[in-house]
Amino acid sequence: MKYTFDIVGVSPILHFFNHQLSEENRTSQGVEYLGTHKCTLDAFLETVEPVPSKWGWNMDEVVDTVVKFWMNNSESIGYWKSRLTDAGNDNVLVARVADMKALKSEFNSLLGEG
């Protein structure tokens, strides 16, 4: 299975929490949004820890995907670190980890392509 990881934005904590609660009721599987107060590799690895067991993913491959993103996207990481700092303490940095098939399916459903 192939996985993807990307930082998608900065969100107020309460908004992110409400989004997570609403996502628990969805039927789509294999896409997870993670939030952290720090823009560090360690912080995201910590938030991704429970996800593989939830979806039956390969933990080593998921961690490898996050690490590869971190090694290959220093400009993007710097940008989001700045945005998180600008946003203040009541916000979290949001990232998405997903298996590629589930993410493609989610995008297709958003576009109405079933």
Side-chain angles (χ1 to χ4, degrees), residues 14-26 32:
L14 188 56
H15 180 77
F16 179 73
F17 179 72
N18 286 333
H19 180 272
Q20 290 296 85
L21 288 177
S22 69
E23 288 295 304
E24 287 180 8
N25 298 323
R26 69 188 168 115
E32 196 74 30

Side-chain angles (χ1 to χ4, degrees), residues 46-84:
E46 200 172 293
T47 63
V48 83
E49 268 182 29
V51 175
S53 61
K54 179 178 179 180
W55 299 118
W57 292 349
N58 180 307
M59 176 66 156
D60 291 337
E61 288 180 27
V62 172
V63 168
D64 188 51
T65 300
V66 175
V67 171
K68 282 181 181 175
F69 173 88
W70 217 261
M71 291 173 53
N72 295 322
N73 294 282
S74 61
E75 276 188 40
S76 176
I77 292 164
Y79 171 81
W80 287 114
K81 186 173 189 170
S82 260
R83 298 298 66 80
L84 181 61

